[in-house]
Structures are given as structure tokens and as C-alpha cells.
Amino acid sequence: LIFTEEDKYGLYSNLLFKYFLAEGIVCGHDLFVASAKEHPDNILKELPAPLLDDTYGKELGDEAATKSEDVQDSMKIAWRYQNLPKMEASPATFTKFSHYYDVSKKMSPELFQSIKWHSFYLHEELSSEPKMKPCNMNSAYARLLQSIQRIITQGGFDGSDPEKQKNVLRIGIQSLGSPLWGDDICCSDTPEDVHSLTKFLYVLRGLLRKSLSACIITVPAHLIQNKAIMERVTNLSDMVVGLESFIGSERETNPLYKDYHGLVHVHQIPRLNSLICDVSDTKDLAFRLKRKQFTIE
């Protein structure tokens, strides 16, 4: 269970959300996309296009050549350094980790045909079924849990059907906890359904543990005033990552951060079946959005 604290305007967390889903399509996983803000069909249409190995290698080479030319131009000024051995601006060979994507292009519809995907759009779900409200959980969360459980069971992700070929279900839930879900934790210090979000995460984590599935959730944490709820939510998640955007902040004009668009805060790293969580060694992480890629350094 990956818990992502959204940046102030939700620009970069939404991009991270789409990266997670795009990786699922390239790997041939089944997808389940839930949202109360944007229709899941539109989210999938906006996924970044995957870069092939040779394409990515060529782009890296072009970038290295450009930097090398810049270095040569600057070396003409300092004539005493001209005879020194030249250093590569970036390595000629690259280490491939998972897949890479071009955010300037959209994924082709042909890639969607090879996978199964399911959607949950809250406004359609509320209009199609009668209102329900179990104890201490709002109806939107209850419907979402029912839908996830149904997909896990029908798809055989819980191991109930041994004849089905084993696959992974990737679940993406956008802006959970926002007022669009009918939750008031963003609007009040003392929300009416104070246990709605925590109970939802507790049940969801149980579903994930009993099935071949992984889930990413984005939450507008900067709007949640109740710090106790945030601590409980962190404890109920496996991995917690926060994105801090420089847009509109004083750090936007700080020379130290001139090459970056925001900071990445790793609050918690998963250590499953253990009483304690792992702690990140590196705290100084920043991200930037290039023309084609979103990078974390």
C-alpha cells in the first residue's frame, strides 16, 4: 500500500499516479482505477508513452553529446585547461531499472488491448445503487471496498481459482479523503466520520495482504488539519511518500533549488511482517519535470 501525499496543486502527484498505472500496462498487469474527480477512462487516456530501449539510449546519447559541446565551448574561455583530459558529462551506458516513459506523448490505444482494466467512478456508482452507510464509514468508501473485493475474487487474485494464470492487480485511487468522496477530514478539525478513512485503509490493507495486488493512493494531506488522523494513516500504510512543490513558495526563487521543481519526502519505507518500519538513509531528494521525463535525484 503506497500512500502519496499530494503536492499543493496535485500536478506532480498525479504524474506519479499515472507512472504507476503505465508500468502496470507495460508489465501486462490488470488495472483497477478509482476516482471521484476525474473519470478513470480519461486518466488512462492521459498515461505517458513507454520509451523503447534503443530510443531511450539514443536520447541519453544525444543529451550527453549536447552537454559535451557545452563543456567544450566553456573550455575555450579557460585556455590553460584545454589540454586536460575531457570528462563525460553523463555516462554513455545507462542502467535500466523497470521502464522509462515519455510524458510529452500519450500511450497508444493498442497497448490497452492486451490487458484487463476496471474503473470506479464515484458519481456513476452513487447514481446506480441505493444509498448505504455502514457504521463509522461513509458510503463512498464502502462501495469502493466492495468493488475492489469483487474484482479480486472474480479475477482470482486471491488464489481461489488455481486454474487461472497468476497475474498482479494494480489498484490506483485518486485524491482519497477529499470532499469529493463525501469525507470531511479536509474541512474540519473534528470530522463527523473520524474513523472513515482509517477503517477503509485497515480493510484495504487486509485485502491487499490476501491477494496478488498492489495499491497506490494519493491524498491531499496538506488540507487535513487533524494531525492524529495523519499519524494513523501513516501507520496503516506500507510506504508513505510526500511531494512538496515549489510553485508559489519562497523556495521557487531560492538559488539552491533553481534546477528542481520540488522535494520528495520519504516518510516510511515498507518492511512487511515486522513490528517496525524501515527508515530511509537519504533524506535529500528532489524532483524535476523535464520536457519528456519526470526525474527524482
Side-chain angles (χ1 to χ4, degrees):
L1 177 59
I2 307 168
F3 183 87
T4 308
E5 298 177 359
E6 295 181 1
D7 52 288
K8 190 174 180 180
Y9 299 103
L11 299 176
Y12 302 106
S13 58
N14 194 33
L15 192 57
L16 208 62
F17 184 77
K18 290 177 180 177
Y19 261 93
F20 181 85
L21 298 176
E23 182 68 16
I25 292 178
V26 174
C27 293
H29 299 160
D30 287 20
L31 294 186
F32 179 91
V33 186
S35 177
K37 178 172 66 174
E38 191 177 357
H39 200 287
D41 294 357
N42 296 331
I43 294 175
L44 292 173
K45 289 177 183 176
E46 296 293 319
L47 295 186
L51 282 171
L52 300 175
D53 294 349
D54 54 348
T55 309
Y56 182 71
K58 182 178 181 299
E59 291 193 0
L60 262 187
D62 293 343
E63 187 177 348
T66 305
K67 287 184 178 179
S68 179
E69 289 175 3
D70 294 340
V71 170
Q72 288 177 7
D73 291 339
S74 62
M75 292 291 264
K76 289 177 183 177
I77 301 171
W79 55 270
R80 71 178 67 182
Y81 301 121
Q82 280 184 355
N83 296 326
L84 290 178
K86 295 175 182 177
M87 296 180 66
E88 289 182 287
S90 64
T93 59
F94 67 96
T95 304
K96 188 176 185 302
F97 177 77
S98 198
H99 299 92
Y100 296 89
Y101 301 89
D102 184 350
V103 295
S104 65
K105 297 178 182 178
K106 308 304 177 190
M107 186 176 288
S108 62
E110 289 78 14
L111 288 172
F112 291 101
Q113 298 175 358
S114 59
I115 64 142
K116 294 180 181 177
W117 61 277
H118 316 272
S119 63
F120 180 96
Y121 188 47
L122 181 62
H123 304 297
E124 292 179 352
E125 297 291 330
L126 291 178
S127 60
S128 63
E129 296 181 18
K131 189 174 182 180
M132 54 178 288
K133 182 171 181 178
C135 59
N136 290 335
M137 190 187 298
N138 70 22
S139 58
Y141 294 162
R143 290 183 194 278
L144 180 55
L145 281 174
Q146 285 182 347
S147 184
I148 293 173
Q149 188 171 23
R150 184 173 66 251
I151 298 301
I152 287 175
T153 305
Q154 292 177 355
F157 298 104
D158 56 351
S160 58
D161 191 350
E163 295 182 0
K164 282 194 174 183
Q165 185 179 359
K166 293 287 186 283
N167 199 0
V168 175
L169 175 67
R170 281 190 183 232
I171 303 169
I173 305 174
Q174 188 183 53
S175 291
L176 196 71
S178 70
L180 293 172
W181 286 94
D183 201 340
D184 58 344
I185 61 167
C186 290
C187 311
S188 172
D189 286 330
T190 55
E192 181 183 351
D193 296 329
V194 67
H195 299 298
S196 276
L197 183 60
T198 49
K199 180 172 275 193
F200 170 83
L201 291 175
Y202 190 79
V203 178
L204 175 63
R205 195 171 67 165
L207 290 173
L208 297 176
R209 289 290 189 273
K210 294 189 295 183
S211 61
L212 294 171
S213 52
C215 178
I216 186 172
I217 296 176
T218 66
V219 175
H222 60 283
L223 298 178
I224 299 177
Q225 302 171 21
N226 194 318
K227 302 302 179 185
I229 291 181
M230 284 306 302
E231 288 184 9
R232 294 173 199 153
V233 165
T234 299
N235 292 331
L236 287 168
S237 305
D238 296 317
M239 183 169 187
V240 182
V241 177
L243 297 181
E244 178 187 348
S245 172
F246 292 158
I247 299 175
S249 73
E250 58 182 16
R251 290 181 174 176
E252 190 175 17
T253 55
N254 191 326
L256 181 64
Y257 303 113
K258 64 178 181 179
D259 296 328
Y260 303 101
H261 296 118
L263 299 177
V264 180
H265 303 290
V266 181
H267 300 303
Q268 186 170 294
I269 298 176
R271 181 181 285 177
L272 302 184
N273 303 320
S274 175
L275 294 176
I276 59 173
C277 66
D278 199 0
V279 180
S280 169
D281 294 331
T282 306
K283 295 291 183 183
D284 300 326
L285 292 175
F287 65 83
R288 58 178 170 176
L289 181 60
K290 299 180 182 178
R291 186 170 62 89
K292 294 188 175 184
Q293 287 183 307
F294 177 81
T295 59
I296 297 176
E297 301 174 357

